[in-house]
Structure formats: structure tokens, C-alpha cells
Amino acid sequence: MASHYIVVLMGVGLVISCLQYQEEIDSLNQVARHRPRSSLVLGIQQENRQIRELQQENKELRTSLEEHQSALELIMTKYREQVFRLLMTSKRDDPTIVTQLKEQHTTEMQAHIDKINEMASVMRKAIEVDEGRICEEEERIKRLELENIGLRELLGISREAFLVLKREDASENTSLSPLLTSADVSLRKS
């Protein structure tokens, strides 16, 4: 009798667990907009691919920027040397022209340096945005993995409870069947 109540209580607990599981699945489906798991995984894979492509593009842009900066520095150095030589050979006696050319060259160099710094800051901002997006995606993937593990555990617990109930039902049926058979036989004899 007590075992019967335990079985009934376990059955009620299993029903409650199944209902809670179904409610959680329904809420997850609503969050996922009723898309199947395969489409969610496919979407995440596509986003990861895009992130990797953006990372590669950022690396290429950084390398290109560094190459352009070094080339520009080399060109400007050569230019300064040539202008300075030209001035020294043509106007050795006029220091004001040399000073003016040096100042003009300095302002031009500063303008180029400012442009390069501006390009570098824009690239840094783009990199930060991409890295932030990557972090958000990694966090989302980790959350989904944890959620998946939790759901698998919940499903495992539900299955275990179902198997225990099934075993107990089977054992009750086998233990009661001889009693029913002997009682059935005794009723038939009388």
C-alpha cells in the first residue's frame, strides 16, 4: 500500500517535471522564434564565419596601414633630403629661404602624420567594435552551451524517473500476477 502511494507520488512528480520541461521548451522556442535547432546552429556558424573573415580583414588592413606608413616615411625622408640638398646648392647665402622651406616641409609632414594618425584611430575603433561583437557572440555561444547542458541533464533526469517508474510497474505486475492467478483459481473452484 505504501509502495503504491510512493509510485503514485513519483508519477505525479514525473508529470510535474514533464510539464515544467515542456514549459521551458515552449519558452525557449518562443525565444528562438520557433526556429529549429539546426537553423539556430547554422546561423551561429554563419556569424562565426563572418567574424573570422572580419578578423582576417582587420589583420590585413593593419599590415597594409603599417606598410603605407613606412613607405610614406621613407618617401618623405628622401624628399626632405633632396629639397635640403637642392636648397643648399642653390641658395647657400639665403638662410630665410632655407628656414621657410623647412617650415613648409614641417607643416606638410605634420599634415601627413595627422592623416595617418586619423586613419589608425579609425582602424582601432573598427577593431574594437569587431572585438566587442566577437565577445558578445562568444558569450552567447557559451550561454547556449550551458543551457543545452542543463536541458540535457533535465531530459536525463526525466528519462531516469520514467525508467524507474516503468521498472516498478513491471515489478508490481509480475509480483501481483501470481496472486491474481491463485485468487482467480480459488474463485473458480468455489
Side-chain angles (χ1 to χ4, degrees):
M1 188 80 159
S3 64
H4 178 67
Y5 288 125
I6 291 173
V7 170
V8 169
L9 288 176
M10 288 180 69
V12 170
L14 179 62
V15 169
I16 291 171
S17 300
C18 289
L19 289 174
Q20 288 173 345
Y21 174 74
Q22 188 61 41
E23 288 173 2
E24 289 178 19
I25 291 295
D26 291 341
S27 67
L28 288 174
N29 282 337
Q30 287 176 353
V31 169
R33 296 185 197 112
H34 298 291
R35 292 185 294 177
R37 181 177 181 262
S38 59
S39 68
L40 292 173
V41 170
L42 182 64
I44 290 172
Q45 288 173 344
Q46 289 173 344
E47 288 174 2
N48 285 341
R49 201 173 311 119
Q50 289 172 345
I51 288 169
R52 279 188 234 113
E53 289 172 0
L54 288 172
Q55 286 174 334
Q56 182 62 32
E57 185 178 347
N58 284 344
K59 287 177 186 176
E60 292 171 3
L61 288 172
R62 271 190 223 125
T63 304
S64 177
L65 178 64
E66 290 170 2
E67 290 173 359
H68 282 84
Q69 284 177 334
S70 63
L72 185 61
E73 288 173 12
L74 178 65
I75 290 169
M76 292 308 294
T77 302
K78 295 292 183 181
Y79 171 76
R80 276 185 246 122
E81 290 173 2
Q82 291 295 327
V83 169
F84 189 72
R85 283 187 201 142
L86 181 65
L87 287 176
M88 287 299 147
T89 57
S90 67
K91 301 287 179 179
R92 291 184 183 201
D93 297 333
D94 194 3
T96 57
I97 293 176
V98 173
T99 306
Q100 284 177 341
L101 288 174
K102 282 184 180 179
E103 287 175 4
Q104 182 183 0
H105 175 68
T106 303
T107 56
E108 289 175 2
M109 281 299 293
Q110 188 60 42
H112 288 296
I113 289 172
D114 290 342
K115 284 182 183 178
I116 290 171
N117 287 336
E118 183 181 343
M119 287 173 45
S121 68
V122 167
M123 289 186 69
R124 278 189 212 102
K125 287 179 184 176
I127 290 168
E128 288 174 4
V129 167
D130 287 342
E131 288 175 353
R133 197 176 305 148
I134 290 169
C135 290
E136 289 173 4
E137 290 300 320
E138 288 175 353
E139 184 178 310
R140 180 177 174 208
I141 289 169
K142 287 179 184 177
R143 254 188 303 116
L144 288 173
E145 287 173 348
L146 287 173
E147 189 175 305
N148 189 347
I149 289 170
L151 289 173
R152 287 178 187 265
E153 288 176 3
L154 185 62
L155 183 60
I157 291 170
S158 296
R159 283 185 183 160
E160 287 175 16
F162 178 73
L163 292 174
V164 166
L165 281 175
K166 192 173 181 181
R167 281 189 215 127
E168 287 179 1
D169 285 345
S171 66
E172 275 185 17
N173 288 342
T174 56
S175 65
L176 291 178
S177 61
L179 294 174
L180 290 176
T181 308
S182 60
D184 190 33
V185 171
S186 64
L187 284 174
R188 286 187 186 167
K189 287 181 181 177
S190 49

